[in-house]
Amino acid sequence: MQTNIEITRAFMETPDGVLSIHQLSRRLKLPYGTAYNRIHLLHDQGIVQMLPQGKAKLCALNPDNPMTACLLALGSAQLTEQYIKQNPSAGKLLKDIRANLEGNFANVLITAILLTPGQLKTIGSYLPGSLQPEEPVASQDLTLDLFYICSGEGFDEAAAETVTAAVLPPGAPVKVTSMALDRNTLLGMFTENENEAGLSAYGMLHEGMIMFGFESFYRLILEAFARKLGR
């Protein structure tokens, strides 16, 4: 299962979303035979498309299969849980922020992404019992940036910033900022071709860490970027 997750993630980290089996083998440092067998298994399950091109086979994710988004979501959820376990103070804050957002905006909030997970580690150091920063951090240099995908009107960004700030350590010099877009607006942004604006927007979110709404996020990403391979 883990290899399958890593294969699907590899496609999402490729500019055009298309890889040959040889390229996958090199990228993931897998024996060619392993990559070949796994790709064919994923193809049989309808998760990967394949198109023979000479002696090679071009491969891409199949956005029409719900399992594709499930695998991508599972891999992203693993990264979030790994972050929580490896960074106890920041992890506690992340869980508190997530609980507050889900508790207050469950009806209108689809996905929440932390764009600055590195900053959360510094903020976590202000919690009681945590190691304090060696040098004071200027308030303008420390921000907690969040991105929200909402279901439409009714999501209050200012209220979300308030409930997020409420769980932060009182002495932490931090400013909470956010941006919220509905699904259709974000989809339009992703599909904007001028100056590769869509890829730039995805790149910004890809560098962040999803807190919840994993599968919904990747269904949107697949809709915007996945290619159909045809003869």
Side-chain angles (χ1 to χ4, degrees):
M1 173 64 77
Q2 192 60 40
T3 300
N4 293 346
I5 291 171
E6 291 172 0
I7 287 173
T8 58
R9 287 187 64 84
F11 285 110
M12 300 308 296
E13 294 169 355
T14 305
D16 63 358
V18 178
L19 291 166
S20 69
I21 298 177
H22 276 292
Q23 288 172 325
L24 269 170
S25 173
R26 291 196 299 269
R27 180 181 288 265
L28 298 178
K29 298 181 180 178
L30 291 173
Y32 178 81
T34 299
Y36 180 94
N37 290 336
R38 290 304 183 105
I39 281 292
H40 278 78
L41 176 63
L42 291 170
H43 178 256
D44 291 342
Q45 295 173 342
I47 295 170
V48 167
Q49 311 169 68
M50 284 200 305
L51 176 66
Q53 189 173 74
K55 294 183 178 180
K57 290 182 178 178
L58 297 182
C59 308
L61 295 177
N62 177 15
D64 297 329
N65 188 337
M67 283 299 298
T68 307
C70 287
L71 273 177
L72 289 166
L74 181 57
S76 185
Q78 287 178 343
L79 293 178
T80 299
E81 287 307 303
Q82 183 180 34
Y83 176 93
I84 291 172
K85 290 178 180 178
Q86 292 179 348
N87 305 281
S89 297
K92 180 185 183 305
L93 287 176
L94 188 146
K95 289 190 291 185
D96 289 344
I97 292 168
R98 181 169 62 189
N100 266 12
L101 291 172
E102 289 182 312
N104 286 277
F105 307 102
N107 294 330
V108 291
L109 199 52
I110 299 172
T111 299
I113 301 175
L114 176 60
L115 300 179
T116 52
Q119 296 272 31
L120 192 60
K121 293 180 184 179
T122 304
I123 297 167
S125 68
Y126 285 87
L127 285 171
S130 300
L131 294 176
Q132 295 297 311
E134 293 182 1
E135 298 180 2
V137 181
S139 59
Q140 64 267 27
D141 294 333
L142 193 57
T143 60
L144 193 64
D145 302 323
L146 298 118
F147 185 91
Y148 306 114
I149 304 174
C150 52
S151 58
E153 296 182 4
F155 177 66
D156 188 336
E157 278 187 69
E161 290 178 6
T162 299
V163 300
T164 296
V167 303
L168 300 179
V174 56
K175 179 181 179 181
V176 179
T177 69
S178 63
M179 174 184 291
L181 295 176
D182 62 61
R183 188 183 187 281
N184 289 336
T185 301
L186 186 57
L187 184 60
M189 182 184 298
F190 282 152
T191 53
E192 175 59 56
N193 292 323
E194 186 175 354
N195 298 321
E196 297 187 336
L199 286 175
S200 297
Y202 170 65
M204 176 190 71
L205 298 185
H206 183 69
E207 293 299 317
M209 184 172 57
I210 301 176
M211 294 191 289
F212 62 84
F214 301 90
E215 190 172 343
S216 297
F217 176 74
Y218 281 105
R219 283 201 302 266
L220 177 64
I221 295 301
L222 287 169
E223 184 176 344
F225 295 109
R227 286 179 52 182
K228 293 284 190 180
L229 296 182
R231 295 181 182 277

